Amino acid sequence: EAEVAQSPRYKITEKSQAVAFWCDPISGHATLYWYRQILGQGPELLVQFQDESVVDDSQLPKDRFSAERLKGVDSTLKIQPAELGDSAMYLCASSLAGDTAYEQYFGPGTRLTVT
Amino acid sequence: AQSVTQLDSQVPVFEEAPVELRCNYSSSVSVYLFWYVQYPNQGLQLLLKYLSGSTLVESINGFEAEFNKSQTSFHLRKPSVHISDTAEYFCAVSVPEAGTALIFGKGTTLSVSS
């Protein structure tokens, strides 16, 4: 069964450093999402892509976060500089377009710890 | 703005007992409703969804949820739980008019013991 791939699975970094996460969606999925899940909370949307275009980045802290999906396939989420409050699980999800667009498939996540 | 409230943060039950995980949502427009399950160190998996039609939806592993528009609820139930059902359960909504992104509740930890 096809899965959403994410790397790394775990990342420890010091505050003020740069960090990047990678996501490879299920083949053929045009829509890609990045969510942040703080411990004890539900995931919150950071950014949504349709192919290579950003559909919604209203909750992305743009002063330090950036996301790209240059060829409309895999995606990178970057934080620079990282802050202590960025410690969380970063989840990537993907979905098809059309009637099944609401079925999102999640990757295993990247757990970030900022020290 | 839409929001999701999961009324119980933790639900401990014994194996083979019934369970209900409660979810209420707030929205002034029509929404789609979902339950996701997250096992330890894994990503979220879609358990079941309500988009339209029958208000009672079922999953392949015995869970069911009923959409109640008047009470703005989408409670998850299972008549007999197994140890393997131990996980975090998230209720989520999506607003068709606003796109496909999900708004999640804070989650309910279901702990099944023998």
Side-chain angles (χ1 to χ4, degrees), chain A residues 26-47:
Chain A
I26 294 173
S27 178
H29 281 198
T31 308
L32 185 147
Y33 313 80
W34 283 101
Y35 291 87
R36 178 170 60 184
Q37 184 180 16
I38 296 171
L39 190 63
Q41 305 287 324
E44 295 180 328
L45 180 72
L46 289 174
V47 61

Side-chain angles (χ1 to χ4, degrees), chain B residues 3 70 92 95 104:
Chain B
S3 64
S70 63
V95 180
F104 286 89

Side-chain angles (χ1 to χ4, degrees), chain A:
Chain A
E1 182 176 323
E3 297 180 341
V4 176
Q6 288 188 250
S7 67
R9 291 292 308 275
Y10 304 91
K11 180 70 177 179
I12 300 174
T13 191
E14 295 182 347
K15 62 180 180 179
S16 79
Q17 295 298 304
V19 63
F21 314 130
W22 177 79
C23 171
D24 191 13
I26 294 173
S27 178
H29 281 198
T31 308
L32 185 147
Y33 313 80
W34 283 101
Y35 291 87
R36 178 170 60 184
Q37 184 180 16
I38 296 171
L39 190 63
Q41 305 287 324
E44 295 180 328
L45 180 72
L46 289 174
V47 61
Q48 177 181 347
F49 289 92
Q50 181 70 30
D51 298 311
E52 66 276 9
S53 300
V54 173
V55 173
D56 183 356
D57 64 356
S58 58
Q59 301 303 310
L60 188 71
K62 299 182 188 63
D63 57 334
R64 298 185 299 108
F65 286 65
S66 65
E68 61 183 15
R69 194 184 183 198
L70 293 177
K71 297 182 179 179
V73 181
D74 59 337
S75 175
T76 301
L77 178 69
K78 297 178 181 177
I79 308 175
Q80 182 174 18
E83 296 181 352
L84 294 177
D86 296 332
S87 294
M89 176 77 84
Y90 290 82
L91 295 166
C92 179
S94 68
S95 66
L96 289 165
D99 293 343
T100 57
Y102 295 94
E103 283 198 38
Q104 295 185 22
Y105 294 83
F106 284 79
T110 295
R111 183 171 296 282
L112 173 67
T113 302
V114 182
T115 62

